[in-house]
Amino acid sequence: FGLPVWNIQYFQLAAIGFMVVGFSGVARAIRKGNPGPVARVLAGWVAWIRDEVVYPNMQKEHAQKLLPLFITLFFFILFMNLFGLIPFGATATASVYVTAALSCITFGIMLIGGIIVQGPIAFWKNLIPHGVPWWLIPLIFFMEFAGLFIKPFALTIRLMANMMGGHLVILSFMGLAFYFGSQNTILGLAVAPSSIGLSMFMMILESFVALLQAYIFTLLSVIFVSMCLHPDH
């Protein structure tokens, strides 16, 4: 249909495929009481997201309804982050278009969920905290209204910048050997061990960052949605 297809879209589909295959038998294995090592690990991560990320930051009534979404969001981002660390892989979350789309999902739930739970009038009214002097109401409303859009924008830039920045550092370390090698072959060979060592260290660090950024994006999404659903908290 004339739509461009980029390499990151293949890895987005691969992330969805890994999620479907990985979780296909987890629930059944847990119910039967004989889960394998993969099922135990995945079930443990799901329980951790539920008990440490979603439930503590949102009323249980709404947390139970939105839990599948946040679990999907976490693993989708995690797999996309990790795919960028494999040979010939691409990190879809290093694209601002991908992170913006994910942030729009959070933004949509913030607005739609807040309006459904609070009501269309009370949602906008509750943007202003109780006890604010009347002469500050226009300024506070403007700041809170702008904050609704700043939150998803921050999610977009935070995830994209962290994933792109790590890759740029790795490429910079790897490029040291090529740069010095272009000046002098012996100098390039001398720098190569340090260049490779620093690149490997950054790859290890990036694997931790991949998990951390998936956690931070999910946690902030939960908090932002909860603020719109429960303004008193």
Side-chain angles (χ1 to χ4, degrees):
F1 302 101
L3 298 176
V5 178
W6 305 94
N7 59 341
I8 59 174
Q9 293 171 310
Y10 295 116
F11 290 97
Q12 287 178 280
L13 294 175
I16 296 174
F18 266 69
M19 292 168 61
V20 172
V21 173
F23 284 95
S24 59
V26 172
R28 182 171 60 254
I30 295 296
R31 283 194 297 265
K32 291 182 177 180
N34 59 343
V38 175
R40 286 197 298 267
V41 170
L42 293 177
W45 277 106
V46 169
W48 177 74
I49 297 171
R50 179 194 62 192
D51 298 334
E52 302 296 332
V53 178
V54 180
Y55 281 2
N57 296 292
M58 186 177 294
Q59 287 187 2
K60 195 170 184 178
E61 174 188 359
H62 300 114
Q64 290 177 336
K65 295 178 181 179
L66 294 175
L67 180 61
L69 172 66
F70 292 124
I71 291 174
T72 303
L73 196 63
F74 173 81
F75 283 102
F76 185 50
I77 295 174
L78 176 61
F79 283 130
M80 286 192 294
N81 292 348
L82 293 176
F83 278 138
L85 301 179
I86 63 176
F88 307 105
T91 307
T93 45
S95 169
V96 69
Y97 299 105
V98 175
T99 57
L102 294 171
S103 299
C104 284
I105 295 175
T106 300
F107 181 62
I109 299 172
M110 289 168 57
L111 287 183
I112 298 174
I115 291 174
I116 291 175
V117 173
Q118 299 184 55
I121 298 178
F123 174 78
W124 301 108
K125 180 181 177 181
N126 288 332
L127 290 178
I128 304 173
H130 298 292
V132 174
W134 65 268
W135 51 275
L136 275 179
I137 289 179
L139 177 61
I140 296 299
F141 181 82
F142 172 77
M143 294 175 60
E144 292 294 334
F145 180 80
L148 290 175
F149 298 89
I150 293 173
K151 290 181 178 70
F153 179 77
L155 287 176
T156 299
I157 300 302
R158 178 190 296 272
L159 180 57
M160 182 272 295
N162 277 280
M163 299 314 300
M164 179 181 290
H167 294 344
L168 290 177
V169 172
I170 294 174
L171 290 174
S172 299
F173 285 146
M174 293 178 62
L176 288 175
F178 294 100
Y179 173 75
F180 288 106
S182 64
Q183 308 299 320
N184 185 284
T185 304
I186 297 177
L187 183 60
L189 292 175
V191 173
S194 299
S195 176
I196 295 174
L198 290 171
S199 300
M200 292 179 63
F201 171 76
M202 282 303 303
M203 287 289 290
I204 297 173
L205 185 61
E206 274 288 278
S207 62
F208 170 73
V209 172
L211 174 62
L212 180 63
Q213 291 305 315
Y215 163 72
I216 292 177
F217 191 100
T218 306
L219 176 63
L220 291 178
S221 296
V222 172
I223 294 174
F224 293 160
V225 171
S226 180
M227 291 170 63
C228 291
L229 298 181
H230 321 295
D232 294 337
H233 302 285

